[in-house]
Amino acid sequence: MREHLADGLYGLGWSSVKRLPEPAAAALGRATADAAWRRRGRGVRQLEANLARVRPGSTAADIRELSRAGMRSYLRYWVESFRLPVWSEDRIRTGVHVHEMSRVTDTVAQGRGAILALPHMGNWDLAGAWLAGAAGLPFTTVAERLKPETLYDRFVAYREGLGMEVLPHTGGSAFGTLARRLRAGGVVALVADRDLSASGVEVDFFGEPTRMPAGPALLAQQTGAALFPVTLWYDASPVLQVRVHDPVEVPAEGSRTQRGAVMTQRLADAFAAGIARHPEDWHMLQRLWLSDLARGGTA
């Protein structure tokens, strides 16, 4: 019942929010965010526990105010995502500013694949629509299989409509397809700040251990593609800000597993730097650190 309710709510969002005038849609997002923040449900409590790691030494009042800004950022993401299918090419082009984009375009111009690894920050769907459209760089990504299947189908259709090639996260074929795209000089984009599988790489993140996906580092090692950390944030303008960080190089020594661990830690460090600068735009409402997972988090 809960799964079908979620599917219906997402369908309502995509069918109705996109028809609202933009100021009305933004106001609806802020009101919804504030209502959720005042209820202080499970997701908000976990967000505050996560933000306390990012801002150690902050008072409870400071974290509470930061979580309010975080919920507003999170709902901005959803409002924009519901409206993206009806945004014009010009609206998408002017809605994103990418710092150091030449790092990616120069790599692709040389015939080398590029892996963009990013945390749950800002609006990764909008950034993807900009990359595939305004930047002229179609790319491949993966999507977690959601329940019910109709909800997963909605997300795949939505992202494919924005110009992305979307592969299911489950099954062994996704990695091989990503590797083929990269060897052909293509672009792969992966959200890579949370991994609950047994294959996740343990990293130090804001002073505590957690796991992040092994995939980005393994793909870089196996294909020779460049691996770029990417962080995203909102400022006071309507424009999403994106930064492409220095590439994470493959270490010269060590086994494949050892090299992958070093590279994943460097990704985590780049993510942490970006999140520390813009913590309100990190949309992590789930348990992340191993200590929270072990004791069941804040629920």
Side-chain angles (χ1 to χ4, degrees), residues 24-246:
L28 175 63
R30 288 192 298 272
T32 303
D34 288 350
W37 177 77
R38 284 192 294 270
R39 283 199 303 272
R40 204 167 181 268
R42 178 185 301 180
V44 173
R45 297 197 308 273
Q46 187 61 58
L47 175 63
E48 291 177 355
N50 294 340
L51 290 171
R53 269 70 168 240
V54 178
R55 287 283 175 88
S58 297
T59 66
D62 289 340
I63 295 298
R64 187 78 177 120
E65 202 55 37
L66 187 58
S67 73
R68 183 180 189 181
M71 290 302 295
R72 286 189 169 190
S73 175
Y74 184 50
L75 264 295
R76 177 175 171 176
Y77 159 75
W78 278 112
V79 168
E80 288 180 347
S81 295
F82 288 144
R83 295 176 61 78
L84 264 175
V86 297
W87 277 15
S88 67
E89 292 181 7
D90 186 65
R91 178 69 179 84
I92 293 173
R93 179 183 59 79
T94 60
V96 180
H97 176 68
V98 181
H99 305 259
E100 309 297 345
M101 182 61 189
S102 61
R103 289 173 170 159
V104 179
T105 53
D106 289 351
T107 297
V108 174
Q110 295 164 9
R112 186 183 180 194
I115 305 163
L116 310 180
L118 53 148
H120 288 80
M121 289 186 78
N123 189 333
W124 48 95
D125 287 329
L126 173 55
W130 181 92
L131 184 66
L137 288 176
F139 66 94
T140 305
T141 188
V142 297
E144 179 184 358
R145 278 207 173 274
L146 303 171
K147 293 182 179 180
E149 192 74 14
T150 51
L151 180 57
Y152 170 76
D153 292 341
R154 285 185 193 275
F155 273 98
V156 170
Y158 157 65
R159 288 179 171 140
E160 288 180 341
L162 298 176
M164 312 175 194
E165 179 187 22
V166 183
L167 307 175
H169 189 270
T170 54
S173 63
F175 188 92
T177 302
L178 295 174
R180 287 193 295 274
R181 300 292 184 268
L182 292 167
R183 290 191 181 103
V187 178
V188 164
L190 301 169
V191 180
D193 58 343
R194 183 172 185 259
D195 190 316
L196 303 182
S197 71
S199 62
V201 178
E202 187 168 318
V203 296
D204 179 89
F205 196 53
F206 291 103
E208 290 189 46
T210 186
R211 286 191 295 269
M212 292 188 181
L218 287 176
L219 283 167
Q221 290 185 72
Q222 291 195 14
T223 68
L227 173 56
F228 297 100
V230 179
T231 53
L232 311 88
W233 70 96
Y234 293 119
D235 58 16
S237 77
V239 179
L240 174 70
Q241 303 294 320
V242 181
R243 181 173 299 282
V244 179
H245 296 259
D246 290 329

